[in-house]
Amino acid sequence: MLAETYRKGRAALEDFFADTPSGEKRRDEVQKILDDADCRFNAHGVEMNQRYTSSAVLEDGPMLAFVHDHEFVHQPLAHPGAVVPRVWLKQDGRRVSTIDLVGRGRFTLLTGIGGAPWREAVRVVGEELGLQIAVHGIGAGQDLADPTAELRAALHSILGTPARDAPYAQNAPARGELLTEGA
């Protein structure tokens, strides 16, 4: 019985890979199944396109509308209330994702060149409120490099929460008094 099952399976595989009309038909059928299932395997929008509104989020104008299907296509957005955009950075020659820099039970500041006022503001807020706030400088001469300039093109500074969303983001040079006003 086992030998017969093996023989049939082996014959089906040989037919699948054969340069014959039958093999081509089988390959087309498998490709159609994979194409139909693509949204279940690659629905990155479901995982990455969350957007939040609450009193803990400092609004910066209206949230941009989705351009593509919001469940299927991941659409990174550097806006308060959105998940921190995933951008590949470099640190000591290895790739590091912005997603891996934030969360982990603490607040995180991602800032670029000229982010010294932000660093000082989160230091003060962290001391006053007893919060651990990680800080990562991104750009030339900083802790991490942005080789594709994706993050630099998106914004100047992001404050990420332990849940990896961004209650505050700024597209202009730092004004640390904005962050410390409500502390």
Side-chain angles (χ1 to χ4, degrees):
M1 175 96 164
L2 184 59
E4 180 64 19
T5 302
Y6 174 80
R7 188 189 63 72
K8 286 182 180 178
R10 186 73 185 166
L13 279 174
E14 287 176 7
D15 185 42
F16 180 84
F17 290 107
D19 186 14
T20 63
S22 174
E24 185 174 348
K25 181 180 179 211
R26 284 181 183 252
R27 289 188 298 276
D28 287 345
E29 289 170 350
V30 168
Q31 188 60 54
K32 182 178 180 343
I33 291 168
L34 292 174
D35 290 345
D36 289 345
D38 187 56
C39 66
R40 284 177 280 200
F41 299 127
N42 295 310
H44 301 297
V46 168
E47 298 176 17
M48 300 291 294
N49 284 341
Q50 295 91 354
R51 297 178 179 184
Y52 306 95
T53 57
S54 83
S55 60
V57 175
L58 299 174
E59 290 298 327
D60 185 28
M63 187 79 72
L64 297 175
F66 288 107
V67 177
H68 305 288
D69 182 313
H70 72 284
E71 291 183 353
F72 186 63
V73 180
H74 172 45
Q75 298 166 70
L77 178 65
H79 190 279
V83 173
V84 171
R86 180 179 191 137
V87 174
W88 286 108
L89 306 168
K90 289 270 188 176
Q91 184 176 42
D92 300 325
R94 62 182 167 76
R95 284 179 13 145
V96 178
S97 168
T98 51
I99 298 297
D100 296 328
L101 297 174
V102 300
R104 302 175 189 237
R106 68 182 191 279
F107 287 90
T108 304
L109 173 70
L110 305 178
T111 188
I113 298 169
W118 282 108
R119 288 177 181 269
E120 178 60 17
V122 297
R123 185 192 65 73
V124 170
V125 169
E127 286 178 6
E128 287 180 9
L129 300 178
L131 294 173
Q132 178 188 2
I133 305 174
V135 179
H136 300 284
I138 301 168
Q142 303 296 306
D143 309 323
L144 298 117
D146 182 10
T148 61
E150 286 181 74
L151 196 60
R152 187 180 75 189
L155 76 161
H156 194 276
S157 297
I158 302 174
L159 177 64
T161 70
R164 296 185 173 150
D165 57 336
Y168 187 82
Q170 184 176 7
N171 292 317
R175 286 185 32 216
E177 69 273 9
L178 289 177
L179 186 61
T180 58
E181 278 176 2

